[in-house]
Amino acid sequence: METLENKSSKKSSSHEGYVLVTGGAGYIGSHTVLELLICGYNVVVVDNLSNACEESLIRVQTLAGRPLKFYHANILDEQTLIPIFEKYNIWAVLHFAALKAVGESTKIPLDYYWNNVTGSLNLFRVMERFGAYNIVFSSSATVYGQPDIIPVNEKCSLGPVTNPYGKTKLFIEEAIRDMCAANNKWNAILLRYFNPTGAHPSGVIGENPRGIPNNLMPYVSQVVQGRFPFVKIFGGDYDTVDGTGVRDYIHVCDLATGHVAALRKLKTKPGCVAYNLGTGVGYSVLEIIKAMSRACGKEIPYQITKRRPGDIAVVTADARLANAELGWYPKYGLDQMCQDLWRWIDSNPLGYPESSNEAKQILQQMSA
Ligand code: NAD
Ligand code: UD1
C-alpha cells in the first residue's frame, strides 16, 4: 500500500527550512497548510485543538500527498514551543491561532485577551529568541471599525473597535508594528481578511461547525441542513441594493494562496505591511441567500428582523495593494464559493468525524 511517506518521496520539498503554522488545524489554517504543502513548503502545525480536530490535518496530508508535522500544543505554553523551534529550522510563522467568535468575546473577554494577545506575545518572544523574524498574521477587516471610505484601503484609519475579539486583532497588529519599528530584523505581513467562506473544491475539508454560528454563511448552511427554521436577516432598511447588509465574501482557497504570496513577499524583507484580502465585490444578505439556494437546489426560508448592533450597511475591500505587491488575485466568484461550501456540508453534515486512534497515531508518527 502506498503510504504518505512513500508519496512524499515523489513530491519532495523545494524549500529549505520549515514554516510554522499556528492554528493550522482550523478552517483557514487547514486550507493554507494544504496550499503550502502543494507548493513544496515543509510545514509544522501547532494547534491546541480547542476549535479543531486532527481529522482536518489527516485529510490535508492525503489531499496533498505529502506529510506535515503536527504538535497538539498551546501557543501560551513557551516550554512546548521552545523544543519545536529547537528541532526545526523555522524561517517563518503563519499565525492563525486565536479564538474568533465576536459574540462570545463580549461574554468572556478575559479568555479572549489571554488566548489571543498573551498567546501571540508569547509566540513572538520565542520567535525572537530563535531568530525567526518572519511572520504573517491573521488580521481582520474588523480592525477598521466603522471604515472612513468604502471600499476600504489600508490607509484608512484603524478602530475604534467595539468588541474584545476585534480589539485583540488591533492590539496584536500594534504590537507587531512596534516590534518591527524597534528591530529591523523583523518582517511582518498583516493580512486583513474580509468575509471568508467556501471550502476546498474537493469537499474533503471545510469549516467545522460548533455551537450557534454568528456569521452569515455558517448560519445559512445550518438552515439548509434543517438545524434552524429560517435565516434571520439583521435589518432590511440599509441604504443598499435591497436594504440588506453588503459584505465582501472571499473563498477560503483564495485566502490560502494569499498566504503563500505573503510568504514569498517576506523573502524580500518588506518590514511591516498590511494587506486587505477581499474580492472588492460586495453582495447583500439576500443575494447570498439566493446564491446558496442555487447551489443546493433548495428554498432557504428567511425573515427580516431588526439590525444587529455594531453592523454597518456596506463593507468591501480595496485589495489593489495585495494585487500589485503580492501579485495575488482572488479567482473564485460567489457561485463557486456557495457550490464548494455546499459540497462540503452535504458530504460532511456533522463536520469532521472523530478520528480513529489509528489515524491519530499516523499523524503523531509524522512528528516523531
Ligand atoms: P478556527 O477557529 O477554525 O482556527 C483557529 C485555530 O486556532 C483552531 O484550530 C484552534 O484550535 C486554534 N487555537 C486557538 N487558540 C489556540 C492556542 N492558544 N494555541 C494553539 N492553537 C490555538 O478559525 P479560522 O476561521 O480558521 O480563523 C483563523 C484566523 O483568522 C484567526 O486568527 C481568526 O481570528 C482570523 N480571522 C478569521 C475570520 C473568519 O471569518 N473565519 C475573519 C477574519 C480573521
Ligand atoms: C462579523 C463581525 C466582525 C468579524 C467578522 C468575521 C460583527 C458586528 N462583526 O463581521 O467583527 O471580523 O464577522 O468573523 O459581529 N447577517 C444576518 N444574519 C445572520 C448573520 C449575519 O443578516 O444570522 C448579516 C449581517 O448583518 C451582515 C452580513 O450578514 O450584514 C455578514 O455578517 P457576518 O457574517 O456576521 O460578518 P460581518 O458582519 O462582516
Side-chain angles (χ1 to χ4, degrees), residues 232-276:
K232 282 185 219 147
I233 298 183
F234 300 145
D237 57 352
Y238 286 109
D239 184 15
T240 60
V241 60
D242 53 24
T244 66
V246 168
R247 295 291 184 274
D248 186 332
Y249 296 88
I250 174 145
H251 196 293
V252 65
C253 292
D254 279 329
L255 286 183
T257 58
H259 286 79
V260 174
L263 266 189
R264 289 197 191 107
K265 180 75 180 171
L266 281 177
K267 295 218 161 171
T268 69
K269 306 202 178 303
C272 182
V273 204
Y275 295 103
N276 289 339

Side-chain angles (χ1 to χ4, degrees), residues 98-99 109 112-114 116-117 137 163-173:
L99 297 173
Y112 271 69
Y113 288 113
W114 182 248
N116 295 4
V117 178
F137 173 58
N163 60 78
Y165 162 74
K167 288 178 190 171
T168 69
K169 291 287 158 191
L170 191 50
F171 189 87
I172 298 161
E173 277 206 6

